[in-house]
Amino acid sequence: MICNSSNNPLIKHKTYKCNECGHVFLNYTGDGLLYHKELYRKGSNEGSRGGGEVKEGRFTNKFHERRNEICNKRVAAIEPYLQECKSLLDVGAGGGTFLNKLRGRIDELEATEISDLCVDNLRKDGYVTYHGAFTHMDLPKKYDVVTSWHVLEHVENVKEFPVKAHNVTGKYLIIEVPINRALRNPDHNFDGHFHYFTKKSLELLFKDHFHILDIRGGIQAPALLAIMESK
């Protein structure tokens, strides 16, 4: 858990909640990395987010159109932190809709992704893309801004994330995580989410490596949006 408290009772299935910071952990006992690489959001060959989003291995306009509004809101929410940004890394960049919004505005746009399909599409769209789990990577440089949208909850050993993020963040780290979601039995209905944060647990996780500038209600509600500056 986040605050190292031993007061983490089982509340449902294999789900534990800290009575000190409110953090929730789902104890999925399978291989989390393999799950996200091979099973997460896998449906038919056309993709599991709706027909017509993937054709012959490429994300279609329909894929990006369905994510257009949320990505516009993301850019608007972090606008003040992009004013002097020359390089940005999007951790868990998915199909690249968010990065596409910044093309032509920020000189260096790069990505990390664990999904083979997403990596292939990102690279074909011209983005330098690092393939694999972010916490296992040795990235060669720092970026003015690092973003991570609805990714942190998928990282099982979550305490590795702020250390790795600090290594590559030159100025700002911007993260959004879901909160207050229905709890599932991770052995029978896992959705890839190991963690559900509270404002307190999110602050505790990053406090040693980042100054917390703002934590507020997120865009993809219910969620928290955290904006931090590297120490």
Side-chain angles (χ1 to χ4, degrees), residues 8-29:
N8 306 305
L10 178 71
I11 59 171
K12 186 178 182 181
H13 311 305
K14 291 186 175 180
T15 302
Y16 299 83
K17 183 175 182 179
C18 177
N19 282 332
E20 301 298 325
C21 68
H23 191 80
V24 171
F25 174 69
L26 283 73
N27 186 26
Y28 174 68
T29 52

Side-chain angles (χ1 to χ4, degrees), residues 198-214:
T198 63
K199 181 175 183 288
K200 183 175 182 179
S201 70
L202 198 58
E203 289 174 338
L204 286 171
L205 180 63
F206 287 95
K207 68 180 179 62
D208 290 339
H209 297 92
F210 293 88
H211 299 290
I212 310 294
L213 301 181
D214 189 18

Side-chain angles (χ1 to χ4, degrees), residues 7-195:
N7 189 4
N8 306 305
L10 178 71
I11 59 171
K12 186 178 182 181
H13 311 305
K14 291 186 175 180
T15 302
Y16 299 83
K17 183 175 182 179
C18 177
N19 282 332
E20 301 298 325
C21 68
H23 191 80
V24 171
F25 174 69
L26 283 73
N27 186 26
Y28 174 68
T29 52
D31 186 326
L33 290 179
L34 183 64
Y35 175 87
H36 284 94
K37 184 175 175 59
E38 301 295 340
L39 300 175
Y40 183 58
R41 290 183 182 166
K42 287 291 181 69
S44 69
N45 290 333
E46 299 303 311
S48 61
R49 285 299 186 101
E53 289 197 358
V54 184
K55 294 290 185 183
E56 298 180 350
R58 290 287 279 157
F59 292 125
T60 63
N61 287 337
K62 183 178 287 187
F63 175 94
H64 295 293
E65 287 168 1
R66 286 177 173 167
R67 292 153 180 81
N68 186 58
E69 182 179 358
I70 194 71
C71 288
N72 281 338
K73 289 180 179 178
R74 288 173 178 176
V75 173
I78 67 173
E79 183 67 37
Y81 306 95
L82 301 177
Q83 295 302 314
E84 297 180 5
C85 176
K86 298 187 182 300
S87 60
L88 182 145
L89 177 71
D90 192 26
V91 176
T97 311
F98 172 71
L99 287 177
N100 291 344
K101 301 292 181 183
L102 302 174
R103 193 191 290 270
R105 174 176 177 179
I106 295 174
D107 295 340
E108 295 180 55
L109 292 170
E110 301 188 0
T112 78
E113 247 302 328
I114 198 167
S115 159
D116 295 347
L117 175 65
C118 290
V119 169
D120 184 55
N121 275 267
L122 288 161
R123 287 177 175 169
K124 285 179 178 177
D125 287 339
Y127 299 112
V128 172
T129 304
Y130 302 95
H131 192 182
F134 172 66
T135 53
H136 295 185
M137 290 178 178
D138 236 348
L139 298 179
K141 58 185 176 182
K142 288 181 179 286
Y143 302 83
D144 292 335
V145 175
V146 175
T147 57
S148 188
W149 304 99
H150 290 252
V151 170
L152 186 60
E153 65 275 11
H154 296 275
V155 179
E156 183 173 6
N157 191 352
V158 75
K159 290 186 177 180
E160 294 178 346
F161 192 97
V163 177
K164 185 62 67 174
H166 185 258
N167 290 342
V168 298
T169 303
K171 293 181 181 178
Y172 302 116
L173 174 66
I174 299 169
I175 288 177
E176 185 171 284
V177 292
I179 58 173
N180 299 331
R181 298 290 178 89
L183 298 179
R184 303 165 180 245
N185 183 335
D187 284 345
H188 301 294
N189 192 21
F190 191 51
D191 65 352
H193 293 191
F194 289 100
H195 301 273

